Amino acid sequence: ANNKSFTLENQTSGQGSTGDLVVFADVLEFAAGANFLLYDAKNRTNLNGTAIDYWDINLLRLDNGNTLRVFQPLPLDESIGNPTFAQNSDNKIAFDHVKSDGSFEVIAVDFQSGSAGLVTNNFTSDGRPTFSGNDQEIFYHFRDGVNADQIFRVTLAGDGITGSGNDAVWATEGFWPVWFTIGTARSASKP
């Protein structure tokens, strides 16, 4: 049995201090290479005696338990979360960005090129995105005041990270989509 237990730690604070506390992790996803676990975490910092919560995305290196922050620290009133890897590459992820006005947008990033793209503006709804099996579309959750929870899909532009603007309802009365792909397992290489 190769069971391991890790304590999640915050590298450094994006909120103005060090020593932030990881309250809990939420969305967890293994890299295809099996060396990393991508996750979001609710964090708590203390700013002038006031507890402030925020969400951030991290990678846990499974061979040694080191935590790596995926992005630079965000401003105090912003958060990122609900990350997912592309189906065919560990170099691309999509996630929710909560802006300072409380609105959501779904963002995708290609780490190989260093580029980020806006997949969709999602207004007041978390998207909890997932890539399609061929990574040419992203499916996401949207809640409006009329039709309640829906799953939308949007085709990605040629860069594979920017939404083409053709967002359309894919399913009604659904939320938090997860795309599963059946394939052949590949062996993990040691870093």
Side-chain angles (χ1 to χ4, degrees):
N2 290 334
N3 295 338
K4 294 181 181 179
S5 176
F6 299 105
T7 300
L8 300 180
E9 297 178 355
N10 194 319
Q11 259 187 321
T12 58
S13 171
Q15 310 302 324
S17 67
T18 58
D20 291 0
L21 171 69
V22 176
V23 178
F24 65 86
D26 183 34
V27 174
L28 308 168
E29 192 166 313
F30 287 95
N35 297 322
F36 291 95
L37 176 69
L38 179 70
Y39 68 95
D40 65 353
K42 181 177 183 178
N43 301 277
R44 184 163 293 139
T45 192
N46 188 326
L47 189 62
N48 300 324
T50 302
I52 297 173
D53 292 346
Y54 64 96
W55 287 86
D56 200 5
I57 299 173
N58 298 280
L59 283 168
L60 176 69
R61 190 174 171 133
L62 297 174
D63 61 349
N64 60 18
N66 287 342
T67 300
L68 309 165
R69 174 172 271 167
V70 174
F71 299 104
Q72 294 291 327
L74 296 171
L76 183 63
D77 52 358
E78 294 184 28
S79 287
I80 52 177
N82 298 323
T84 187
F85 281 112
Q87 299 291 326
N88 299 291
S89 170
D90 290 340
N91 291 322
K92 290 182 183 176
I93 67 169
F95 57 91
D96 285 327
H97 172 223
V98 185
K99 301 188 313 184
S100 60
D101 64 1
S103 66
F104 289 78
E105 56 188 8
V106 176
I107 302 289
V109 172
D110 181 334
F111 292 115
Q112 195 164 24
S113 70
S115 300
L118 175 65
V119 175
T120 193
N121 285 308
N122 218 29
F123 308 101
T124 59
S125 178
D126 61 327
R128 193 137 182 191
T130 188
F131 284 87
S132 64
N134 61 9
D135 293 334
Q136 294 178 359
E137 296 175 301
I138 286 186
F139 291 73
Y140 63 92
H141 168 250
F142 179 73
R143 174 179 293 150
D144 69 22
V146 177
N147 297 311
D149 293 303
Q150 302 172 346
I151 303 298
F152 273 71
R153 71 194 269 184
V154 61
T155 304
L156 295 174
D159 63 4
I161 56 173
T162 304
S164 65
N166 66 345
D167 306 52
V169 174
W170 184 73
T172 58
E173 298 181 27
F175 57 93
W176 299 347
V178 177
W179 190 284
F180 292 97
T181 303
I182 299 172
T184 304
R186 55 184 174 172
S187 62
S189 59
K190 300 257 182 205

